[in-house]
Amino acid sequence: MERLAPFTLHRAGTAAQAASLLASIPGARLIAGGTDLLPNLRRGIGAPPALVDLSGIAGLDAVARDAQGWRFGAGVSLATISADAALVRELPALAQAAASVAGPGHRGVATLGGNLCLDTRCVYYNQGEWWRRSNGYCLKYGGETCHVAPQGRRCHAAFSGDVAPALIALDATVEIVGSRAARMLPLADLYADDGAACLRLAADELIVAVRIPPQPQGSRSGYRKARIRGAMDFPLAGVAARVTCDGGRLSGLRLALTGTNARPLLLADTDALCGGAVDEAMLAALGKRIGKQVSPMRTTVTASNYRRQVAIVLAQRLVRELAAGAG
């Protein structure tokens, strides 16, 4: 890895101050845990003139619960989320997703907001500077061609965060603060299908909190992932689902995937799968729907179709398991 390029460190006292710093310093980046940003900077991917440290913002790591549901500050650590007994019981998809990220040391400092803003990944991008220079820079950084799809004009680097699909399955929204205004956004709408620019955040905006509404009566949720190594690895495919059953019939299904597209993907048209039992016919229909909507590309060391099949099998197993205990 390379030596870090010189930068100025600013310590923000409030979210508004952080947004103001982003607005006044072109190219500045936010840093909290830094578990994704710093390795990329050490690889020579980016040289921001300034980093804006969020660790001094009071309340950014707070977790609260009321009649409107849960509210998580963007600075809460993944270790805190994964170890919270109430979350493990009430929002297992979120707790399981947080527990699956990297290793214990990473989860102790990695933040919820940072995992939601995780940079997309590709074997042509996440390399050292000498490798990328020798093999030709890619469309995502420094080049003009996506080596995954050379004839196209879009980056196909895959989103590989674990927490986003779990929160999308739980119907989460995000609170965003900018230098001029604040806004709320459904988490699924935060992402664009472009590996080079997957976040729909302005240059002066940051996520300050995530809200999860009360979940439907009788629903269960979970998260499963497949990876090359049994720990400390990004997902080849990950699936989060919330299943609601009534009288033995599937009455609601939200399912989101990661590792297969340039954004976390909320599976569309799941209402058509509801109304009957979760049987082999329903699971086969679910598999076909996933196979048509995911679009894994050659961004990892494994074949694209393998990742598609893994996503299908993970989803079928998870939905079957959740339905067996729901109702």
Side-chain angles (χ1 to χ4, degrees), residues 170-246:
L170 296 171
D171 204 16
T173 59
V174 287
E175 298 178 18
I176 298 170
V177 168
S179 61
R180 291 170 292 182
R183 60 188 176 116
M184 298 281 290
L185 187 70
L187 179 59
D189 294 341
L190 177 67
Y191 301 98
D193 195 23
D194 184 348
C198 73
L199 291 174
R200 291 192 172 110
L201 287 175
D204 66 335
E205 289 186 321
L206 66 150
I207 297 171
V208 296
V210 176
R211 290 184 178 271
I212 302 177
Q215 299 299 292
Q217 185 70 27
S219 67
R220 298 186 72 209
S221 70
Y223 176 73
R224 301 291 183 269
K225 70 187 284 188
R227 46 192 166 185
I228 293 177
R229 296 176 293 183
M232 295 183 65
D233 214 343
F234 292 93
L236 296 174
V239 178
R242 185 184 71 191
V243 169
T244 307
C245 289
D246 183 7

Side-chain angles (χ1 to χ4, degrees), residues 102-170:
H106 300 88
R107 294 192 292 272
V109 294
T111 63
L112 174 61
N115 198 258
L116 294 180
C117 296
L118 192 74
D119 196 8
T120 53
R121 303 186 64 81
C122 178
V123 290
Y124 295 98
Y125 172 71
N126 296 97
Q127 304 285 349
E129 166 63 19
W130 67 268
W131 189 97
R132 289 180 289 112
R133 182 175 62 246
S134 300
N135 289 274
Y137 296 103
C138 70
L139 182 64
K140 183 170 171 61
Y141 187 78
E144 299 180 353
T145 302
C146 176
H147 299 307
V148 172
Q151 306 305 316
R153 297 302 305 161
R154 183 173 70 84
C155 170
H156 292 273
F159 182 84
S160 300
D162 292 289
V163 175
L167 288 170
I168 290 172
L170 296 171

Side-chain angles (χ1 to χ4, degrees), residues 28 77 80 84 88 119 176 203 226 230-231 246 249 257 298 305 316:
S77 74
T80 297
D84 189 299
V88 171
D119 196 8
I176 298 170
D246 183 7
R249 295 183 177 275
L257 302 106
R298 191 168 50 90
N305 192 55
Q316 291 171 328

Side-chain angles (χ1 to χ4, degrees), residues 77-93:
S77 74
L78 299 183
T80 297
I81 293 173
S82 65
D84 189 299
L87 287 175
V88 171
R89 181 177 62 255
E90 297 184 25
L91 302 174

